[in-house]
Amino acid sequence: MSTKPLRIAVQKKGRLLDESIQLLKECGIKIDNGRDQLKAAARNFPIEVLYLRNSDIPQYIQDGVADIGIIGENTLIEKEKEVEIVQQLGFSRCRLSLATPKGMDYQGPADLEGKRIATSYPVSLQRYLDANNIRADIHEISGSVEIAPNIGLADAICDLVSTGSTLFKNGLEEQDIVLKSEAVIAASPQIDAERRDILDRLLFRIKSVLAARNKKYLLMNVPTEKVADVTKLLPGMRSPTVLPLAEPGWSSVHTVIEEGRFWEIIDELRTKGAEGILIVPIDKMIL
Ligand code: AMP
């Protein structure tokens, strides 16, 4: 085991924490639970987890105090730090959006000229306004941005949205998207070769875990004369596996498929005579 572990920054608390730790766990990395600690070492992989405040993580990565971090892309953009995004993680998907009170006449961002906009993301908003040639008054507030129009603090808001239910509950309408975000792994410009090597090993595991998510292993019995028709419907990693069944005239067809895609073709599979269809979760997928 390396004497210099890869230091990975994760949220101390917040939305990204559980999924970040879950991802490491699915990569086979066992971390002693360090909720009350600032850092924890993994028992079976050369990494050390640093539990930090979300908004501090970009700075720690840039300075090389942490070698990598799991962080929302939006936070990296807002903090304007020089770090490299090495992997999109596909969770904590959200968008930074402009929203206005229901009923306000809004045709486009130009309608925000001269208006007061409340946000916790002033840098990202300012960039968007500049790009659209709009001058507006940005009110930076650190939380509960959605109540700003109701209490007369602002005419519009710019906030993170995932389902839209918070906006809806507060009588706001989502108008334009300023940026889209998801959790990513960001790496420090200071990372040394030894730790880069550990990062590559970690990324290999992460890619295998992510590839398996949403993918299913599909098995079914198909009349042998229909195998060609059925395989045309199936996008496989290479091509489906076709095995003869003990019963003459029947074959077993196996493939890997996205769950959503499966539901699109299920009716056609059955029309072609597929029976005994099994859909099995995949734990890891080594590409
Ligand atoms: P937290 O520390 O809990 O405030 O985490 C905030 C981060 O979670 C944001 O910077 C986003 O990257 C991510 N996120 C995902 N969906 C949302 C959402 N609907 N509202 C706020 N943050 C979100």
Side-chain angles (χ1 to χ4, degrees):
M1 192 175 264
S2 169
T3 46
K4 267 170 44 176
L6 181 76
R7 294 156 304 172
I8 171 167
V10 302
Q11 272 190 347
K12 197 185 166 96
K13 58 179 178 101
R15 281 171 200 263
L16 277 76
L17 176 62
D18 287 349
E19 284 196 82
S20 303
I21 298 301
Q22 176 65 23
L23 179 64
L24 295 177
K25 213 186 259 175
E26 285 178 38
C27 290
I29 297 171
K30 295 198 170 76
I31 304 151
D32 295 320
N33 197 338
R35 295 246 161 162
D36 303 321
Q37 298 162 241
L38 180 65
K39 59 182 183 179
R43 270 180 274 146
N44 54 354
F45 196 78
I47 69 167
E48 190 170 72
V49 179
L50 308 180
Y51 295 92
L52 301 170
R53 267 177 62 128
N54 191 59
S55 57
D56 293 339
I57 291 177
Q59 182 76 51
Y60 281 118
I61 301 173
Q62 179 175 282
D63 294 347
V65 174
D67 303 302
I68 62 167
I70 300 183
I71 184 81
E73 248 175 316
N74 61 301
T75 309
L76 289 178
I77 294 167
E78 184 63 25
K79 300 288 178 189
E80 300 183 291
K81 298 293 178 227
E82 278 168 40
V83 299
E84 183 197 352
I85 294 179
V86 292
Q87 179 70 47
Q88 307 281 130
L89 295 175
F91 61 83
S92 273
R93 286 211 164 98
C94 60
R95 50 203 186 270
L96 183 65
S97 285
L98 287 161
T100 56
K102 268 198 194 90
M104 174 177 149
D105 186 28
Y106 182 97
Q107 304 299 327
D111 289 333
L112 296 171
E113 181 73 34
K115 296 277 199 299
R116 295 163 306 161
I117 311 172
T119 189
S120 307
Y121 300 91
V123 173
S124 308
L125 174 58
Q126 188 64 61
R127 271 205 215 166
Y128 178 85
L129 294 175
D130 290 347
N132 286 280
N133 255 324
I134 295 156
R135 269 156 304 145
D137 196 1
I138 298 178
H139 278 247
E140 184 179 350
I141 46 178
S142 59
S144 304
V145 171
E146 63 281 358
I147 61 164
N150 279 327
I151 59 172
L153 184 71
D155 305 300
I157 67 162
C158 176
D159 202 9
L160 291 176
V161 183
S162 43
T163 60
S165 68
T166 305
L167 293 183
F168 181 79
K169 277 188 229 145
N170 286 279
L172 298 166
E173 233 172 325
E174 186 174 356
Q175 301 290 7
D176 281 300
I177 296 176
V178 169
L179 59 89
K180 287 190 176 163
S181 173
E182 67 184 82
V184 296
I185 297 213
S188 175
Q190 323 270 354
I191 190 167
D192 61 35
E194 197 179 337
R195 284 163 164 152
R196 185 93 215 180
D197 193 49
I198 305 171
L199 172 58
D200 288 343
R201 284 161 55 203
L202 177 66
L203 288 177
F204 173 76
R205 293 189 185 196
I206 289 177
K207 284 184 204 309
S208 305
V209 170
L210 296 180
R213 285 192 182 163
N214 306 318
K215 292 262 168 56
K216 302 285 172 199
Y217 194 76
L218 169 65
L219 305 89
M220 62 198 149
N221 297 334
V222 178
T224 302
E225 63 191 41
K226 296 284 186 195
V227 165
D229 290 348
V230 164
T231 53
K232 265 188 231 145
L233 297 170
L234 301 174
M237 276 175 87
R238 205 153 271 156
S239 63
T241 306
V242 181
L243 303 164
L245 288 187
E247 190 179 329
W250 281 85
S251 297
S252 173
V253 177
H254 301 198
T255 195
V256 172
I257 190 167
E258 261 173 49
E259 192 169 14
R261 179 90 184 98
F262 169 75
W263 292 114
E264 285 167 22
I265 61 168
I266 175 70
D267 294 333
E268 267 185 277
L269 290 175
R270 296 179 67 218
T271 311
K272 302 270 189 259
E275 284 180 8
I277 301 173
L278 293 181
I279 302 161
V280 185
I282 300 171
D283 201 37
K284 309 280 184 296
M285 215 157 106
I286 313 298
L287 296 171

